Amino acid sequence: MLFYELEKLVTSLSAAEKKLFQQHSAQPKGDKDYIALYQQIAGQTSTPDTTSWQEQFRKTHPSKSLENTAAYLYKILTDILVQVRIEQDAWFQQYQCLLKARLCFERSIPVRAFKELHKASKLAAASQHHPVAYQAARMELTALADMGFPQLSEQQLVDKQMKAKHTLQSLRQIHEHYSLYELLSHRLTNGKRPENSKQDKQINDLILSELSLSTRGSQHQFEPQKLHLLFQSFFFIHSGEYRSALRIFNELTKLTEANEPMWDYPPYDYLSALDGILDSLRSIGYYHEMPAFIDKLTTLSERPYPEHFKSVATLTAKVYQLNKFLGCKQYEMSAQFLRNLSPNWNPQKAVNGHEKQLEYYFFVALTHFTLQQWDKVKKPLNLLIAAAKQTPQHLAYRAGRLLHILLSYEMDDMGYIEYEIRSYKRAFSKQGKAYKTEKLIFNIIAADPKRRGNTWKATARKKVAAKLKEIATDKRELQLTKFTDFGQWALTRLH
């Protein structure tokens, strides 16, 4: 696992970060084996040699421990990156101030320590980051007590204590918001939500608790407002009130954009929110509502943020653009979109193994599949399967494997299909019960409708249509069918 993590870290470095590493490694100190290892990892895609960088290192440095060198390189890189982030992101700066304050207290430099705590408190207040605000207040009170409360009246002490208490109360309310949202997400994503059931009562209790929480004193702060809107949007999506959910999505983006000073640097949280909104829209088939949110992703990707963030934002925008074309059955436009991509653009750059990389390969393959360009489908599917070796839990990988089975059927490779279905079931058996969509597909393939008569097809078509209606009411099935309507493929085979 360390080797995989190290490889992802090296390949995600921006040009500026690589330059900092080179400056660090140019210092005349210590063993330089880690530099050779870095160069082998960074240069592995630029040479035709198929030998892995692990094998290369063992061959060129037989007396050195690859594990120890990799661990040291990982430490060096993360130390450099943390230092870079301290200069960029107020979140990192706040924790650095706490570290400096503690160090100054330990070395009996209290004046400097209190300055660092004041700086941390100021940064935390600006970003409404309550954990650091409370930690800074607690460190200050502890230090004042140890020093005998110099030049501090009792009222001043009580004021500091009450301020810390209010911060802690705000932190607790945010935790409760998160807890309710997470419980709602868990309950609504596990199968369908039957009416007048025990689960209905549990969900109604969550809604009442969240409503009560959202009317408390912290409702005007950014984080509670954001969580309240997330809670509402998730509930509306899963209760079928899609127009209300869309309204909440727009409110959520307006709220986030109006509070840009509170964004992280880079704003992965906002990127994740946009991804979640677009994922919900495709799940409910609202493809025509996606462009406005895709444009927001594109705008984020064009801002002067670090390269890794821009790569993920760009890739996410392209994924949903393809998804939108395919969902609207604009297959030729999807193919034209792929042809218009810059020849220098590479979805592997900086995001190898990322969920959106897998989804990109899936939609590229699906574009060619819908146009019956069978010879062009295999390459992106092979790239998807190769990229998912370390992250097979992503559903895009499962969808890709299923599409590969459909491709084999279309190409009449029945011998391979039997092997691939067994492999598929074996690969995903540890991830819980199979999806109904999968079982339907496998049953259709086993029946082989290509070699059946019209009477059989007509009877089977009625049964499959009824089964698809049942699948459409199962919220769990959306996790797989949001990528494409696999059931529709089964139905078309019966015509």
Side-chain angles (χ1 to χ4, degrees):
M1 183 58 75
L2 172 61
F3 295 157
Y4 169 70
E5 294 164 346
L6 179 61
E7 183 175 330
K8 287 200 70 174
L9 194 61
V10 171
T11 55
S12 70
L13 295 176
S14 67
E17 291 163 350
K18 290 176 182 176
K19 186 176 180 180
L20 283 174
F21 175 78
Q22 291 168 356
Q23 292 173 351
H24 179 276
S25 60
Q27 298 174 9
K29 63 176 183 179
D31 199 335
K32 300 294 184 177
D33 295 331
Y34 72 94
I35 300 175
L37 180 60
Y38 167 82
Q39 292 171 342
Q40 287 171 342
I41 298 173
Q44 64 177 332
T45 57
S46 60
T47 64
D49 187 4
T50 56
T51 305
S52 69
W53 57 265
Q54 296 98 317
E55 293 172 344
Q56 289 179 26
F57 184 83
R58 289 191 176 104
K59 183 178 179 180
T60 55
H61 297 78
S63 62
K64 301 296 182 179
S65 167
L66 173 60
E67 289 73 15
N68 291 343
T69 307
Y72 185 70
L73 175 58
Y74 177 83
K75 176 184 179 301
I76 293 294
L77 287 173
T78 50
D79 286 348
I80 291 172
L81 291 176
V82 166
Q83 191 58 46
V84 170
R85 303 294 280 117
I86 288 171
E87 296 171 5
Q88 297 174 333
D89 193 341
W91 187 90
F92 283 82
Q93 293 166 16
Q94 292 169 43
Y95 283 102
Q96 187 195 37
C97 290
L98 294 183
L99 293 171
K100 286 182 177 180
R102 180 160 181 168
L103 183 64
C104 289
F105 280 131
E106 290 174 352
R107 301 302 171 96
S108 300
I109 316 175
V111 174
R112 175 59 61 181
F114 286 125
K115 286 182 179 179
E116 293 292 347
L117 289 179
H118 176 72
K119 182 179 178 181
S121 298
K122 189 174 179 181
L123 289 169
S127 59
Q128 294 181 11
H129 190 208
H130 302 300
V132 167
Y134 177 74
Q135 185 64 46
R138 185 68 263 155
M139 287 177 68
E140 180 185 16
L141 287 167
T142 300
L144 289 171
D146 291 342
M147 297 166 65
F149 305 106
Q151 299 179 342
L152 189 72
S153 68
E154 182 173 327
Q155 186 57 50
Q156 289 174 320
L157 173 62
V158 170
D159 289 343
K160 289 180 180 293
Q161 290 173 332
M162 291 304 297
K163 185 177 179 181
K165 181 179 179 181
H166 290 151
T167 301
L168 201 55
Q169 289 173 337
S170 296
L171 183 59
R172 179 180 177 180
Q173 286 185 25
I174 290 174
H175 172 74
E176 290 176 359
H177 268 291
Y178 272 113
S179 298
L180 292 171
Y181 172 64
E182 290 156 1
L183 281 171
L184 180 75
S185 302
H186 187 275
R187 289 175 184 174
L188 291 184
T189 52
N190 282 274
K192 44 187 162 182
R193 190 173 72 90
E195 297 297 329
N196 301 319
S197 67
K198 180 180 178 182
Q199 189 185 24
D200 271 332
K201 184 178 184 306
Q202 291 176 332
I203 291 172
N204 288 336
D205 288 345
L206 286 179
I207 294 169
L208 290 173
S209 297
E210 201 279 336
L211 184 62
S212 173
L213 187 61
S214 64
T215 57
R216 295 185 193 172
S218 62
Q219 75 267 27
H220 300 299
Q221 296 182 12
F222 172 61
E223 192 79 0
Q225 287 184 74
K226 181 186 76 173
L227 290 168
H228 174 61
L229 291 175
L230 282 172
F231 184 97
Q232 284 189 313
S233 65
F234 200 87
F235 173 74
F236 286 141
I237 282 289
H238 285 266
S239 59
E241 299 179 47
Y242 299 143
R243 280 292 154 192
S244 295
L246 182 61
R247 176 177 56 80
I248 297 298
F249 288 155
N250 286 311
E251 287 184 24
L252 179 59
T253 54
K254 286 180 183 178
L255 173 69
T256 304
E257 290 168 358
N259 288 274
E260 187 172 339
M262 296 183 190
W263 292 7
D264 293 333
Y265 183 93
Y268 279 104
D269 193 44
Y270 185 34
L271 175 60
S272 177
L274 289 172
D275 184 14
I277 289 170
L278 285 162
D279 183 61
S280 295
L281 290 175
R282 69 175 174 187
S283 295
I284 61 177
Y286 273 39
Y287 298 106
H288 293 289
E289 304 291 348
M290 293 172 69
F293 299 100
I294 294 172
D295 289 344
K296 294 180 186 297
L297 281 173
T298 303
T299 300
L300 273 184
S301 70
E302 294 171 348
R303 297 178 70 164
Y305 288 126
E307 186 174 326
H308 181 267
F309 177 86
K310 293 173 69 173
S311 296
V312 174
T314 299
L315 182 57
T316 305
K318 293 184 187 306
V319 162
Y320 285 111
Q321 187 62 66
L322 282 172
N323 200 171
K324 183 257 179 186
F325 285 138
L326 292 166
C328 293
K329 303 187 186 307
Q330 299 168 328
Y331 307 132
E332 286 293 347
M333 291 183 68
S334 182
Q336 186 61 46
F337 177 80
L338 292 174
R339 288 193 290 270
N340 290 342
L341 290 178
S342 168
N344 297 323
W345 188 76
N346 183 358
Q348 291 180 322
K349 187 178 182 182
V351 291
N352 195 33
H354 194 282
E355 182 180 10
K356 286 294 171 273
Q357 182 195 36
L358 307 186
E359 291 191 20
Y360 175 79
Y361 287 141
F362 175 84
F363 289 118
V364 171
L366 184 62
T367 297
H368 297 307
F369 184 87
T370 54
L371 295 172
Q372 298 186 5
Q373 299 170 340
W374 311 130
D375 57 325
K376 294 183 178 182
V377 180
K378 282 189 175 181
K379 182 179 178 181
L381 284 181
N382 289 337
L383 289 171
L384 186 158
I385 292 169
K389 284 182 179 178
Q390 300 293 335
T391 54
Q393 73 277 8
H394 290 319
L395 275 165
Y397 171 60
R398 193 163 184 157
R401 289 282 300 271
L402 192 56
L403 184 62
H404 197 274
I405 291 172
L406 302 191
L407 174 65
S408 299
Y409 182 79
E410 294 289 0
M411 298 181 72
D412 210 24
D413 191 356
M414 299 304 292
Y416 177 74
I417 285 180
E418 292 180 9
Y419 164 80
E420 182 61 16
I421 289 178
R422 286 197 302 271
S423 174
Y424 184 98
K425 291 178 178 178
R426 190 164 54 247
F428 300 111
S429 61
K430 296 180 181 178
Q431 297 185 16
K433 64 179 182 178
Y435 288 91
K436 296 174 184 177
T437 301
E438 295 169 339
K439 294 178 180 179
L440 176 64
I441 293 293
F442 297 154
N443 288 338
I444 289 293
I445 290 175
D448 197 7
K450 287 181 182 179
R451 294 164 178 80
R452 298 280 188 165
N454 290 334
T455 302
W456 181 91
K457 287 182 179 179
T459 303
R461 192 160 57 242
K462 292 179 181 178
K463 293 180 180 178
V464 170
K467 188 66 177 177
L468 290 177
K469 286 184 179 180
E470 177 190 337
I471 288 174
T473 64
D474 194 330
K475 297 292 189 291
R476 181 174 181 267
E477 294 295 312
L478 280 177
Q479 299 174 33
L480 186 63
T481 58
K482 68 183 180 183
F483 292 102
T484 188
D485 191 350
F486 289 104
Q488 191 60 37
W489 175 89
L491 205 55
T492 57
R493 300 283 72 77
L494 300 174
H495 284 278

